[in-house]
Structure formats: C-alpha cells, structure tokens
Amino acid sequence: MHYLWKLLRQHVSPMQLGGFLLANMIGTAIILTGFQLYRDVRPVFTADDSFMRPQQVVVSKTIGPTSTAAPTFSAAEIDELSRQPFCRSVAPFTATAYEATATMSVAGTTLPATSLAFESVPDRFTGVSAEHWRYTPGDTIVPVVIPRAWLAVYNFGFARSQSLPAIGDALASTIRLHISVQQGRHHYEGRVVALSSRAATILVPQTFTEHTNRLYAPEGSSAPTRLIIEPTRPADERLTQWISRHHLQTDEDRLESSKTLRLFQLLTTVVVAVGLLISLLSACLLLLSIHLLMQKNREKTLTLLLLGYSPRTIARPYVVLTVVVSLVSVAIAAAFAVAVRPAYLSQLYALYPQLPETSILPTLALAALLAVVLLAANYIIIRRATPLNS
C-alpha cells in the first residue's frame, strides 16, 4: 500500500483537504455543542417540580371580590374542556372532605399542630414512580408531596428563629407528618416523597383520598375547585386563549417556562440543522476532491488493474485518507464541545445552584455515531467510484 500511495498521491490537494477538515470540524462542533447545551439547559425549565410534569397546567376560577368560597367546576365544564382539541387529558383535584390535623417533625423538632387539607390527582398525572406513590387501603403510612413554599417557610422563618438546621431538597424525605383524623381517633404517618412548586396543599395518592373520604365523610364530597390539564403540545396558544376567554387563573410562570422551552427547542433544532448542513456540504467537498483525484489517476488505476491489483486494494489509499481526515475533524469538534462546556456551566450553576448535573457521554456517543456514518458513506461512494466498480 505504501507504493500505491506514493504513486496515487501526486494530485492530492492539501487546500481541498484542509477545506474539508475545517468545514466538517465547524459543522460537527455546532451539532455537538448545540446538543450538549440543550441537554444542560433543559432542566432549568423541567426540573423545578418533582411531582407534576412540565407541560401540565393547573387552572382554577378567579375568586371575585365579594366571594366567600372558592368557585368550583361542574361536570359539564370539565367535559367541555376535555373535548377541546388542545387538551390531551384533564382531571379534577379531589379534596378530602373531613377535618385533619398534623404535626410536622423536621430535624428532630416537632412543629405545632395545624389543620390540614389533602388533595389528589389521578396517578397518570404524577411524575413520581409507582413504587413510591402507592397506597393500599388499611395502611397507616401515606406518601405525600408538600409544597416547596412550606419548606421555604421553615428554612427562612421557623428554622432561623429557633436556631434549627435548614432542610434542603435532598433532606426533604426526612420530614414526617403525624396526621390525626376525627379528633385523634385515627392516625397516619405521612412520608415526603417529592416537593412541588405548584401545589398549594399537601398531595396524597388518589386511593388514599377516595378511601378516607368513604370512611370519614361518605356524604361530604364536593365539586372540584382546581383542574390539572395535559395539553397536546407545550405552550399551546389555543389553551392560553381558552383560559383567558373563560377568565381562569393558572400558574403563569409555568406557561412562560413552557413557551421558553419550546422556543429553546426550536432554536436548538435550527442550530443543529445548520451544523448538519455544513457537515453535509463538507462531506460533499471531500467526496468531490477524492473523485477528481481518482479521475486524474484514472490511467494509473487502469494500469494497476491490468497488473492484477483488485479494486479494493486500489481504493484503500483513498479510504484511509478520508478516515484520517474525518476522524481528526470529529475529534477536534468533540474536544471543542467538551472544552467550551465548563464556560457556560459555571454561569448556569451560579444562577441555578440546585440544577442537576448532566453527562457528557451522550454527546460523545453522538460524535462517534457521526464519525461512523461519515466513514461508511465515504467508503461506499469511493468503492463505487473505483474503475470496474462504477
């Protein structure tokens, strides 16, 4: 092969190879950096609530200035909403119809008893695994989700005034709720399995709400005051218009976050598409260069074939050339994506200290996949361009 390369390399253009190397490196770097940036930034919009999924929206009716009770949704209103084209599914919040009190134990300290109300939604609307979000009638241990606002009140109010340690998200599972029903005749222990930025009350499994309502308030059910909606697509404008037209209120921050995430997805798609286009054009440039090189060496190639060299052997120097140039360009692009990541992660973690860490391995796997696809395509085209194979 050494002598073949010496014979066939006379018309190799370093400028053309350098142009491919630079173009493919830029295109691949854009793809890999855009992909990793999306994976790193996406949790900003989706990881702030460990109970409800990011695309879900909670709505309630606006309370008038003279109202003394929260307005409710009728069955007809829920049915009308469920038939809207923008609504994949909808369910009411089911509230407990009995009185309950609870004391909360945090870091070995028991806080004063307070009256509580529990709510639940169907399990399909939760983001908690079924293993942790399960209640069997008769159990005294109940999984619960508490509002993040409660933890903030404890950390910045009660804990500071009583010189108690603050509780972060990772230690929220150590919180215990000692629940008392019917003036202490029945007791349950609530174990925190998740936190929610959007829950206004303590959330429990649907089976617990239905079971205890049958036991303690068989005739006390009431119409729901809040609904949870899963739209067909995030930040659907039709849903926003419907909410405005019916004078409902919702978690505006969630809607804005969903819109921002959708815009970010669109921008990432455009950036990656531009990178793919640049890489495709660079691959075409390389293949064109190889094709011209093979045409210039056509007489030498035919002579080698007559001397008994196989088309595979003659094509091998060109294949090796494309492999080396392609691997070098992808390797430099991957190194760039890895090197630039700490620069924006430091700024991201400064703004969101509790942001979960993401792995760089999927991006490196994508780089390997791009290299394999590029090499396979180059090999097939070069083999077909070799005389007697064309």
Side-chain angles (χ1 to χ4, degrees):
M1 179 178 169
H2 174 70
Y3 295 105
L4 283 177
W5 174 242
K6 290 183 65 176
L7 180 65
L8 299 174
R9 72 180 181 181
Q10 297 176 8
H11 300 288
V12 173
S13 172
M15 292 293 293
Q16 291 177 339
L17 293 180
F20 162 76
L21 178 66
L22 180 61
N24 190 60
M25 181 183 66
I26 293 174
T28 307
I30 291 175
I31 296 172
L32 299 180
T33 305
F35 177 74
Q36 186 61 44
L37 178 64
Y38 174 76
R39 296 188 71 254
D40 288 331
V41 175
R42 189 174 185 274
V44 172
F45 307 101
T46 60
D48 61 335
D49 198 301
S50 55
F51 181 74
M52 297 180 186
R53 297 187 179 94
Q55 69 271 21
Q56 295 170 346
V57 179
V58 177
V59 298
S60 59
K61 292 186 176 181
T62 304
I63 301 177
T66 59
S67 300
T68 58
T72 60
F73 290 92
S74 65
E77 291 174 320
I78 298 175
D79 181 65
E80 178 190 0
L81 176 58
S82 65
R83 288 187 280 104
Q84 300 302 315
F86 55 78
C87 182
R88 176 178 288 116
S89 56
V90 60
F93 279 77
T94 304
T96 52
Y98 52 86
E99 293 185 2
T101 59
T103 57
M104 186 166 64
S105 297
V106 182
T109 301
T110 300
L111 305 185
T114 183
S115 297
L116 292 179
F118 303 104
E119 285 187 318
S120 62
V121 294
D123 292 348
R124 68 180 185 275
F125 287 91
T126 68
V128 182
S129 65
E131 178 184 357
H132 297 97
W133 192 246
R134 181 186 297 117
Y135 176 79
T136 302
D139 291 348
T140 57
I141 306 298
V142 185
V144 299
V145 174
I146 64 173
R148 288 184 186 273
W150 280 37
L151 208 58
V153 170
Y154 168 80
N155 286 333
F156 302 111
F158 192 84
R160 290 173 62 92
S161 63
Q162 303 294 323
S163 299
L164 295 174
I167 300 294
D169 288 10
L171 297 178
S173 59
T174 63
I175 299 174
R176 293 291 181 267
L177 290 177
H178 306 288
I179 304 166
S180 176
V181 182
Q182 290 188 336
Q183 299 180 348
R185 289 195 292 270
H186 304 277
H187 298 275
Y188 299 90
E189 181 180 335
R191 295 187 176 179
V192 177
V193 297
L195 301 173
S196 176
S197 302
R198 303 157 63 191
T201 56
I202 294 178
L203 298 171
V204 293
Q206 185 89 354
T207 51
F208 176 80
T209 305
E210 295 174 349
H211 173 67
T212 54
N213 273 342
R214 286 195 299 267
L215 284 180
Y216 310 129
E219 300 177 357
S221 60
S222 59
T225 58
R226 296 193 299 159
L227 303 177
I228 182 170
I229 303 171
E230 185 169 359
T232 54
R233 62 182 184 181
D236 196 316
E237 286 297 328
R238 295 172 297 178
L239 173 59
T240 305
Q241 294 170 3
W242 193 90
I243 290 173
S244 176
R245 187 166 60 250
H246 288 78
H247 307 290
L248 302 179
Q249 58 185 12
T250 184
D251 40 1
E252 293 292 340
D253 291 343
R254 172 56 54 183
L255 284 177
E256 292 303 320
S257 257
S258 185
K259 291 179 182 178
T260 305
L261 176 59
R262 189 177 174 191
L263 177 61
F264 184 63
Q265 290 173 336
L266 178 61
L267 292 176
T268 304
T269 302
V270 171
V271 169
V272 171
V274 170
L276 284 172
L277 179 61
I278 295 175
S279 295
L280 180 61
L281 292 176
S282 66
C284 292
L285 174 63
L286 176 63
L287 292 175
L288 179 61
S289 300
I290 296 296
H291 184 74
L292 292 175
L293 180 61
M294 296 177 70
Q295 291 301 316
K296 291 178 181 179
N297 291 328
R298 186 175 182 83
E299 292 185 3
K300 297 177 183 178
T301 302
L302 292 174
T303 301
L304 292 172
L305 288 170
L306 293 175
L307 290 175
Y309 287 91
S310 67
R312 182 188 298 272
T313 302
I314 297 173
R316 190 174 301 158
Y318 302 110
V319 173
V320 172
L321 179 63
T322 58
V323 167
V324 172
V325 176
S326 299
L327 288 181
V328 169
S329 64
V330 173
I332 294 175
F336 175 82
V338 172
V340 78
R341 187 171 179 240
Y344 67 79
L345 276 185
S346 61
Q347 302 296 323
L348 198 60
Y349 284 126
L351 295 174
Y352 304 96
Q354 296 180 344
L355 197 66
E357 185 177 353
T358 54
S359 174
I360 192 70
L361 293 180
T363 300
L364 298 180
L366 177 61
L369 177 62
L370 291 174
V372 169
V373 171
L374 182 63
L375 295 178
N378 288 340
Y379 176 78
I380 293 172
I381 294 174
I382 291 173
R383 287 278 291 124
R384 289 183 176 180
T386 306
L388 301 186
N389 280 339
S390 55

